[in-house]
């Protein structure tokens, strides 16, 4: 079994990150969001612009020299956690999530927040299994779909333990 490594993204990863995001969007969200919504991301410049703005905050999972997963946080919010569908259920998402959670905790935030589409049952189940709790559901006006806001208490380094 080929192992994976987690590391900070570099500028050289940008083309691979764009490819990963486009492929993942189509595969994962194709059953959840309208095709025309996905096309603006995949065929337009939205993915390219997003990756170019955010790559410095990204953690990548690399397997045999190929970027197969990515995660990023801003303040206490997990903005992004995507694993290419061909690599689901190999521990990559869990490792990325653990690393991003640790970073949020180290930055002094005791509570993490994330959002995922309610109809993305795989993601909702994954986050629940990792200790995240539903806070509320709300409409994502841009996507036109319901999303679930979830939270989790994160362990901060140097915190008192009983």
């Amino acid at each position: 079994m080929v192992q994976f490594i987690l590391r900070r993204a570099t500028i050289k990863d940008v083309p691979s990150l764009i490819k990963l995001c486009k492929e993942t969007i189509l595969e994962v969200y194709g059953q959840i969001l309208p095709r025309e919504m996905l096309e603006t991301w995949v065929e337009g410049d939205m993915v390219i612009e997003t990756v170019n703005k955010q790559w410095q905050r990204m953690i990548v999972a690399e397997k045999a020299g190929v970027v197969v997963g990515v995660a990023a946080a801003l303040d206490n919010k997990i903005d992004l956690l995507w694993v290419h569908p061909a690599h689901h259920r190999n521990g990559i998402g869990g490792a990325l999530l653990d690393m991003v959670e640790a970073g949020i905790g180290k930055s002094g935030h005791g509570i993490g927040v994330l959002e995922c589409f309610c109809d993305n049952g795989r993601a909702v189940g994954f986050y629940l299994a990792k200790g995240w709790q539903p806070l509320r559901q709300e409409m994502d006006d841009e996507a036109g779909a319901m999303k679930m806001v979830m939270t989790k208490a994160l362990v901060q380094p140097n915190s008192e333990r009983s």
Side-chain angles (χ1 to χ4, degrees), residues 63-162:
K63 190 172 183 179
V66 177
V67 174
V68 297
V70 61
L74 180 60
D75 299 321
N76 72 324
K77 183 178 181 185
I78 296 178
D79 273 341
L80 166 68
L81 177 63
W82 288 347
V83 175
H84 192 283
H87 299 279
H88 283 178
R89 306 198 58 81
N90 289 316
I92 296 168
L96 283 166
L97 183 61
D98 290 346
M99 189 170 197
V100 175
E101 286 178 7
I104 291 170
K106 286 178 187 172
S107 70
H109 297 284
I111 302 287
V113 178
L114 63 80
E115 298 173 352
C116 66
F117 291 113
C118 295
D119 287 342
N120 188 348
R122 181 187 295 255
V124 171
F126 168 75
Y127 292 124
L128 289 171
K130 294 290 283 178
W132 288 79
Q133 298 297 313
L135 180 63
R136 68 181 175 276
Q137 292 184 18
E138 57 190 46
M139 178 58 73
D140 183 316
D141 292 327
E142 181 182 346
M146 292 298 291
K147 65 183 175 185
M148 183 176 300
V149 179
M150 303 178 89
T151 63
K152 182 178 180 181
L154 302 175
V155 176
Q156 295 178 330
N158 304 321
S159 63
E160 299 281 328
R161 296 186 187 217
S162 28

Side-chain angles (χ1 to χ4, degrees), residues 24-39:
T24 302
I25 286 169
L26 286 176
E27 183 77 23
V28 173
Y29 298 124
Q31 303 300 316
I32 299 169
L33 300 175
R35 180 81 182 158
E36 55 275 4
M37 164 63 69
L38 299 176
E39 287 174 356

Side-chain angles (χ1 to χ4, degrees), residues 17-28:
L17 289 164
I18 291 168
K19 181 179 186 290
L20 169 71
C21 291
K22 286 184 175 188
E23 290 175 358
T24 302
I25 286 169
L26 286 176
E27 183 77 23
V28 173

